[in-house]
Amino acid sequence: MKKAILVISFGTSYRETLERTIGAVEEDIRRAYPKYEVRRAFTSGMIIKKLHERDGVETDTVSDALEKLVNEGFSEVICAVTHIINGFEYDKIIKSAKIFSDRINIKITRPLVSLTEDYAEVIKAIGHIFDNDKIYILMGHGTEHFANAAYPALDYHFKADGFDNVYVGTVEGFPELGNIIDEIKKQECRNAVLMPFMLVAGDHAINDMAVEWKEALEAEGFSVECIMRGLGEYKGIRNLYIKRVEDEKRGAEHF
């Protein structure tokens, strides 16, 4: 019986962070499950198109990858989703997978932060990087989708776990940077660290975080350091994606 793990990411066109994050997640999953064929799919059509036109690199959509697996005689596929929340992109994955559910046994992992227990796991995975004498601001993507609630929930969990100097903001949702600035101005500390709460340190990290957010904080009198590491570069986070796969192998419901 042929089995596969399809690692599904939003994608990135930045080569270096691609290998350090998405590539690293895929490789760790490949090592953890040597009896499975591990393949890649992106959900961003724009990135797939850019990689094709710029680099001549072909990357499958979820539908393309599943079609190939069906045609090649695979009987089971675990879709290992690397997305952060249950947003629009995750909805697209579910919709695409359901089309093939009568032709191949499909299981889909949950995103990084979905269940209440996931917040504690994420904090444990990256909590070691936070110093007490600095303010840390994690930049999430944000969305109009109701799943955006995961970001303020994560902020709350950080505070509940004793990380009073860690804040979670978003580029396109709530909380915004302005909401965070209002809060951190109440603290005596003026040393701020920005880091992406995204799988890759791509366009948003390079342009929004390291330029616009940095300048906004400096204008308020903060000394700002930027950590240009996507979540995929942290071993603890990659282990959580492996754990999501293991959860599905142990008996998550099929379609």
Side-chain angles (χ1 to χ4, degrees), residues 3 5 28-38:
K3 298 181 180 182
I5 297 175
D28 280 9
I29 289 176
R30 189 172 286 109
R31 290 197 189 104
Y33 301 101
K35 294 183 180 180
Y36 283 72
E37 174 81 12
V38 177

Side-chain angles (χ1 to χ4, degrees), residues 171-202:
V171 181
E172 299 180 11
F174 177 85
E176 299 177 341
L177 178 61
N179 302 121
I180 294 174
I181 288 177
D182 290 341
E183 291 299 315
I184 64 176
K185 284 169 66 176
K186 301 173 185 177
Q187 298 195 24
E188 294 183 3
C189 180
R190 285 296 179 265
N191 296 318
V193 179
L194 290 169
M195 56 180 289
F197 191 75
M198 302 177 182
L199 184 69
V200 304

Side-chain angles (χ1 to χ4, degrees), residues 209-225:
M209 188 189 79
V211 179
E212 293 183 15
W213 282 33
K214 183 174 184 290
E215 291 177 353
L217 286 164
E218 289 174 339
E220 295 291 341
F222 290 90
S223 173
V224 184
E225 171 190 352

